[in-house]
Amino acid sequence: MRERGDGFTRQVARTFAQLGSELNRVTGYEEIEALKRRVVEQEAKIHTARETARQAKEAYDRAVLERARSQREVNDLLQRKSQWTDADVGRFTTLVREDHAREQDEARAKAAAAAAEDAVEREFSELMRVILNRYHEEQAWSDKIRSASTYGSLAALALNMAVFVLAIVLVEPWKRRRLAQTFERKVEEMSAATADAFERKTAELKHRLEEQGKLLALVLETVHLSTQVSNSELASLGPTQEPAPPTPLPQPAPIGRISALTQPEEQLLIAVSASAAAAALVGWLARSWFG
C-alpha cells in the first residue's frame, strides 16, 4: 500500500511537471527559464574568473617581492663593490641572472593579472547583459500575460452579458409563464376542493336539518299527545257526567306545517327549535373549522 501510494505520488508529481513545462512552452516562459540558467552559469563563470584574477594578482605580488628582494641584495653588493671577494662576484653574477628571470616572471605575472582582470570585466559585462535580457524577456512575458488576462476578462464579461441577456429574454419569460401556470393550476385545484367541501358540508347540513325537523315533529307530537291525556285525566276527576263521546285523536301535523297550539306548546316549540338550530349550527361550524 505504501509503495503504491509513493508510486502514485511520483506519477502525480511527474504529471504536474509535464503540465508546467507544457504551459511554459505555450506561454513562452521557456526563454525566461533559459535566461535564468544562463544567469546562473554566468555567475559561476564570473566567480571562477575572479578566483583566477585573485590568484594571478597574488602571483604578481610574489614576483614583485622576489624581484625587490633580489634588487636590494644587488644594491647591497654594489655598495661594497670595492670589497668584493670571489664569492661576491659569483653571487652578483647569479643575482643579475636571477633578476633578469624575475623581471620576466614579473612581466608575465603582470600580464596574467591584467588578463584575469579583463576576463572578470568581460564576464561581469556578459552577466549584466544576460540579466538585462532576462529582465526584458520577463517584462515582455508579463505584458503578454497581462494582455491575455485583459482579453480573457473581456471575453468572460461578454459571456456573462450574453448569458444575462439570454436569461432575461428567454429564461425569465418561461419561468414567469411556468409560475403562472402552476399558480393557476393550484388555484383551480383549491377552488375545486373548496367547492367540493362546500357542497359536501351543505349536503351534510341539509341532512342534519332534515333530521332535526323530523325529531322536532316527533317531539311536538309527543307533547300534544301528553297534553290530551292530561286533559282527559282532569275531566275524569270532575263531577259525574255522562260520558262524553270519545274525542278523536288529532292526526300528527306533517313536517314543516304545525297546527294551532296553545301558548305553552308554542313557547316549548320555539325553545326546542332554537336549541336544535343552534346545536346544528355550532356542530357545522366546529366540523368546518377542525375537520
Side-chain angles (χ1 to χ4, degrees):
M1 180 64 71
R2 184 175 180 180
E3 293 178 355
R4 185 179 300 176
D6 294 339
F8 178 75
T9 303
R10 288 193 296 271
Q11 181 66 27
V12 171
R14 191 182 305 107
T15 302
F16 276 107
Q18 293 176 356
L19 289 176
S21 61
E22 189 68 19
L23 181 62
N24 291 336
R25 186 185 64 80
V26 171
T27 57
Y29 199 75
E30 285 185 347
E31 298 179 0
I32 298 176
E33 291 291 339
L35 289 174
K36 286 182 178 180
R37 290 191 295 270
R38 286 191 60 187
V39 168
V40 174
E41 293 173 359
Q42 195 63 32
E43 287 178 350
K45 287 182 180 181
I46 196 172
H47 178 72
T48 303
R50 283 177 176 175
E51 186 66 22
T52 303
R54 185 183 62 80
Q55 294 176 0
K57 185 69 167 35
E58 291 178 355
Y60 174 70
D61 292 338
R62 285 195 302 270
V64 170
L65 290 175
E66 288 293 333
R67 187 184 177 191
R69 184 178 61 79
S70 177
Q71 287 180 352
R72 281 197 303 271
E73 190 173 355
V74 170
N75 291 330
D76 290 340
L77 288 174
L78 289 176
Q79 286 178 0
R80 55 185 183 86
K81 183 177 180 181
S82 60
Q83 299 175 359
W84 278 1
T85 61
D86 294 337
D88 292 335
V89 173
R91 179 61 180 167
F92 179 78
T93 304
T94 303
L95 287 175
V96 170
R97 191 181 303 114
E98 290 179 354
D99 182 67
H100 181 68
R102 288 192 179 94
E103 183 180 2
Q104 293 179 354
D105 293 339
E106 180 182 353
R108 285 193 296 270
K110 184 177 180 180
E117 291 292 335
D118 293 339
V120 170
E121 292 294 332
R122 286 194 303 271
E123 297 297 336
F124 183 77
S125 299
E126 183 66 18
L127 177 63
M128 292 294 101
R129 188 182 66 80
V130 173
I131 290 175
L132 288 175
N133 289 336
R134 173 187 170 184
Y135 176 77
H136 175 72
E137 291 296 332
E138 286 182 348
Q139 286 295 324
W141 183 81
S142 299
D143 294 338
K144 183 168 63 176
I145 295 299
R146 192 179 300 110
S147 300
S149 176
T150 302
Y151 289 130
S153 300
L154 292 176
L157 181 60
L159 180 61
N160 290 333
M161 289 294 295
V163 171
F164 180 72
V165 171
L166 288 176
I168 293 177
V169 174
L170 299 178
V171 178
E172 289 298 328
W174 177 77
K175 288 175 63 177
R176 287 195 295 269
R177 186 167 57 254
R178 185 71 177 273
L179 182 62
Q181 292 176 357
T182 304
F183 182 73
E184 290 176 358
R185 187 172 60 253
K186 290 292 184 182
V187 169
E188 291 176 357
E189 292 177 357
M190 292 177 62
S191 299
T194 304
D196 184 50
F198 181 75
E199 291 177 359
R200 188 171 59 253
K201 295 296 183 180
T202 303
E204 184 179 353
L205 179 61
K206 183 178 180 181
H207 178 68
R208 288 186 175 275
L209 290 176
E210 290 176 355
E211 290 181 354
Q212 293 291 335
K214 293 178 181 179
L215 180 61
L216 182 60
L218 182 60
V219 169
L220 292 176
E221 182 182 356
T222 304
V223 170
H224 182 71
L225 292 176
S226 62
T227 304
Q228 293 294 330
V229 171
S230 299
N231 291 332
S232 300
E233 290 178 355
L234 290 174
S236 63
L237 294 177
T240 303
Q241 297 177 355
E242 292 182 0
T247 305
L249 293 175
Q251 296 295 328
I255 298 173
R257 186 178 67 186
I258 301 175
S259 60
L261 301 176
T262 60
Q263 186 175 3
E265 292 176 351
E266 185 177 357
Q267 293 178 355
L268 179 62
L269 176 60
I270 293 173
V272 172
S273 300
S275 300
L281 182 59
V282 171
W284 179 74
L285 290 175
R287 282 191 299 273
S288 298
W289 289 344
F290 303 103

